[in-house]
Amino acid sequence: MVSVAKTFGTALEVAQIKLVHDEIVAGHKATAANMVKYAMGHDPDITLEAEGDLLLRDFFNAMVDANNYVGAAALCWGPPLFHPELNSVREIFDTAAVQPLMLSMGASSMGKTYNLVIFCYMDWLRDPEWTSVKLMSQSDKHLTDNVWPHLMQIHESCALKPLNKVKDLPSDLWMGIADSGKSYGFAGMAFKQSQLSSGAWKGFKPQPKRPITDKGYAVFGPMTKLRVLMDEAQQIPEGVWQDLNSVKASVGEGRVKIFAAFNPEDVSQPVVRRAEPVGGWHSDHQETLYSYESAQGWWVVRLDAAKCENVVQRKEIYPGVMRYEAFLDTLKGGGDASPRYWTFARGFPPLQDSANTIIPPDWASTQRGEALYDGEVTNVASVDLAYQGADKCVIAVGRWGIAHGWRDQKGVTHNFVNRLSPSLNQSRHVLTIDQFFAMPKSLDVMGVTQEIMGKCKMLRIQPEWVAMDSTGNAM
C-alpha cells in the first residue's frame, strides 16, 4: 500500500481528492483509502480504518514530495475554510514549492498570508518533529489577533493531524509535537518598528540533528528544515531584512524557505524594493506583471483582485476572498488612479508622486501608435502661452473620441479592457496628440488671442474644445 501511494502522488485530480476528503471528515478512512486505490487502478481491498489511515497519510506525503501541494491541501481541508479551485491558491502553492525566496504581493482578501500558513503547515505535517516554522509580524498584537488564530483554525480543521501528541502554548505563541522540543514546530515572533537591526534571526538555520534511525532520514537526510513567513511585511523595517541575509545563506535543497506577504503601499518600503522588477516599476506593468523574479532575486507572485473569480463573475462563488462589491467600493473610493485602488484592489504599488516612476527615455517611443476610434472624433487644442520665462509658446492639436484599442508601430492591435472585468473588452475615451505648433511669444494679449482663434478656425476646432490656462487669455 505504501509503495502504491508514493508512486502516484500526482495521479488524482482535485475533484477526486475532494471526495476522498469528504469521506475522511465523515470518519470513513477505509472507504477514503479505497477510493484512492480505485482511482489509481488498484483493487479497493482495505477493510480496517487504521490501514486506511496509513495509506491516506502516505498519499499525503507522496503529494507533498511531488510538489502537489494543491492536492495535498484538498485532502486535508475543504470549504468554507479552503478552496483548492482558486487560481490564487495554485499560484502561491506552485511557486512556494519550488522557490526558496518568495514575496506574496497582493490585494486585500486574496489569501496572500492565509494560503502560505496552510503551505507551511503542510510542510510541518510532512515532517513535524524536525521542521521549524517561524511566523513573523510587526507586533505581538497582530500575531495574537490574526496570524495565530489562522494557524489554530487550520490545525483544528485538518483532516489528517499528526499522529504524535501536539502541544499548544498560546501565551508563548508556540505549537508543536510535545516531545520534539520548542526548537521545532510553530513559533510566533514580532519585530518592532523602531528596530534598526533585529538580531532575532540568530540561530535560524537547518541543523544536522536528524538521527539515521528517523523514518524521514531516507527522504530528507540528517538536516532539519526551516520555514519563515513574514506577514504584513510592508511594516517590517530595513534592519530586519539586512539580518535576514544570514538565514538566506542556508538556502538550498528545500531546507530553508522564506516567504513574505504584504500589500504594496509604497515603492520606498523595504519589501516593495525587494519586489521591484529588473528595470524598475513602470505603469505598463500594471496589467502584465504577475509572476516574476525581482532584481534582488526574490520570486514575486502578485495577486490581483481584478482576476479573482468572485470579481470576474460578479458574484460570490468562493466565500472569504475578494467580493465584486468590495472591489467596486475600492474603485469608487478614489478612481482607478488612486493609490488605495492599486494597493488594495490590484496588488500593485501606486506609482504617482514616486521617484521610481520617472519615465525612462525609451518608454514613450515604445508606446507610440494610432488610436482605433469607433466613430467620429472631435478636433481639440490646448495652448500654453508662456508669457514669461524661457518656455516656448506652443499650441497642441489632436483628436478626442471613443476608441476600442490602439495599434502600435509594429502593427499589433491592443484592445482596451474593462477594469472591473478584465476578461471583457471595453471602449474608452482617448485623446490623440497629432501635432505641436510653436507661436511667437508676445505680451500683446489681443494679438495672441486673434492668432489662436485663426489657427483653430483653420483646423475646424470649435471654441468649446480649446483648453487654456484660466489665469491667462482664457479669462
Side-chain angles (χ1 to χ4, degrees), residues 91-124:
E91 290 168 3
I92 289 177
F93 284 2
D94 288 353
T95 303
V98 298
Q99 298 294 339
L101 304 175
M102 173 186 158
L103 301 178
S104 178
M105 179 178 77
S108 298
S109 302
M110 288 295 291
K112 56 187 176 295
T113 299
Y114 184 78
N115 288 319
L116 282 173
V117 174
I118 289 180
F119 182 92
C120 290
Y121 186 93
M122 288 190 287
D123 267 358
W124 173 76

Side-chain angles (χ1 to χ4, degrees), residues 302-342:
R302 173 190 167 200
L303 302 178
D304 182 355
K307 294 183 175 292
C308 177
E309 289 81 350
N310 291 347
V311 175
V312 171
Q313 300 194 35
R314 302 190 179 190
K315 60 181 179 180
E316 188 175 54
I317 305 170
Y318 301 110
V321 295
M322 177 71 80
R323 296 178 299 107
Y324 175 71
E325 295 79 8
F327 180 87
L328 200 60
D329 287 344
T330 305
L331 176 60
K332 291 178 178 179
D336 62 4
S338 70
R340 179 175 177 79
Y341 168 72
W342 284 105

Side-chain angles (χ1 to χ4, degrees), residues 151-168:
L151 173 63
M152 293 296 99
Q153 185 182 43
I154 289 166
H155 173 64
E156 292 300 328
S157 61
C158 182
L160 293 174
K161 296 183 180 66
L163 292 173
N164 295 335
K165 181 181 178 181
V166 176
K167 188 175 183 180
D168 175 25

Side-chain angles (χ1 to χ4, degrees), residues 61-357:
N61 292 343
M63 286 193 286
V64 171
D65 292 346
N67 287 339
N68 183 13
Y69 282 86
V70 175
L75 186 67
C76 294
W77 298 278
L81 295 178
F82 180 71
H83 303 283
E85 303 88 351
L86 284 167
N87 289 329
S88 57
V89 169
R90 184 169 295 280
E91 290 168 3
I92 289 177
F93 284 2
D94 288 353
T95 303
V98 298
Q99 298 294 339
L101 304 175
M102 173 186 158
L103 301 178
S104 178
M105 179 178 77
S108 298
S109 302
M110 288 295 291
K112 56 187 176 295
T113 299
Y114 184 78
N115 288 319
L116 282 173
V117 174
I118 289 180
F119 182 92
C120 290
Y121 186 93
M122 288 190 287
D123 267 358
W124 173 76
L125 183 60
R126 175 66 182 92
D127 188 29
E129 295 179 316
W130 301 103
T131 300
S132 175
V133 181
K134 308 299 182 184
L135 301 178
M136 309 288 190
S137 191
Q138 83 278 18
S139 69
D140 291 320
K141 179 175 174 55
H142 187 267
L143 282 168
T144 303
D145 295 347
N146 295 278
V147 181
W148 207 256
H150 283 329
L151 173 63
M152 293 296 99
Q153 185 182 43
I154 289 166
H155 173 64
E156 292 300 328
S157 61
C158 182
L160 293 174
K161 296 183 180 66
L163 292 173
N164 295 335
K165 181 181 178 181
V166 176
K167 188 175 183 180
D168 175 25
L169 300 176
S171 60
D172 295 337
L173 292 180
W174 181 86
M175 182 188 77
I177 302 301
D179 298 330
S180 66
K182 294 183 69 173
S183 295
Y184 308 102
F186 291 83
M189 300 181 66
F191 294 119
K192 308 302 181 185
Q193 286 285 352
S194 60
Q195 285 178 295
L196 297 177
S197 182
S198 71
W201 296 113
K202 186 176 181 180
F204 279 23
K205 60 183 180 179
Q207 303 285 344
K209 292 186 176 181
R210 188 193 306 270
I212 196 171
T213 56
D214 183 80
K215 59 184 179 181
Y217 190 93
V219 178
F220 304 113
M223 303 298 291
T224 61
K225 293 187 293 183
L226 171 65
R227 304 291 181 258
V228 177
L229 171 55
M230 297 181 287
D231 187 29
E232 297 294 325
Q234 71 271 18
Q235 303 295 335
I236 294 178
E238 178 63 30
V240 174
W241 294 94
Q242 293 293 334
D243 281 358
L244 188 61
N245 290 331
S246 62
V247 184
K248 290 167 63 177
S250 301
V251 165
E253 299 184 15
R255 295 168 184 162
V256 174
K257 288 183 180 292
I258 304 172
F259 309 125
F262 63 101
N263 299 115
E265 297 176 345
D266 193 300
V267 293
S268 66
Q269 292 170 325
V271 67
V272 181
R273 293 203 304 271
R274 283 159 176 81
E276 183 176 331
V278 175
W281 298 108
H282 304 309
S283 59
D284 54 337
H285 291 154
Q286 293 170 337
E287 306 295 343
T288 60
L289 194 65
Y290 289 99
S291 182
Y292 62 96
E293 186 176 10
S294 75
Q296 295 196 32
W298 290 79
W299 198 270
V300 183
V301 172
R302 173 190 167 200
L303 302 178
D304 182 355
K307 294 183 175 292
C308 177
E309 289 81 350
N310 291 347
V311 175
V312 171
Q313 300 194 35
R314 302 190 179 190
K315 60 181 179 180
E316 188 175 54
I317 305 170
Y318 301 110
V321 295
M322 177 71 80
R323 296 178 299 107
Y324 175 71
E325 295 79 8
F327 180 87
L328 200 60
D329 287 344
T330 305
L331 176 60
K332 291 178 178 179
D336 62 4
S338 70
R340 179 175 177 79
Y341 168 72
W342 284 105
T343 296
F344 298 107
R346 301 301 305 275
F348 195 87
L351 299 184
Q352 57 264 47
D353 299 324
S354 168
N356 287 20
T357 62

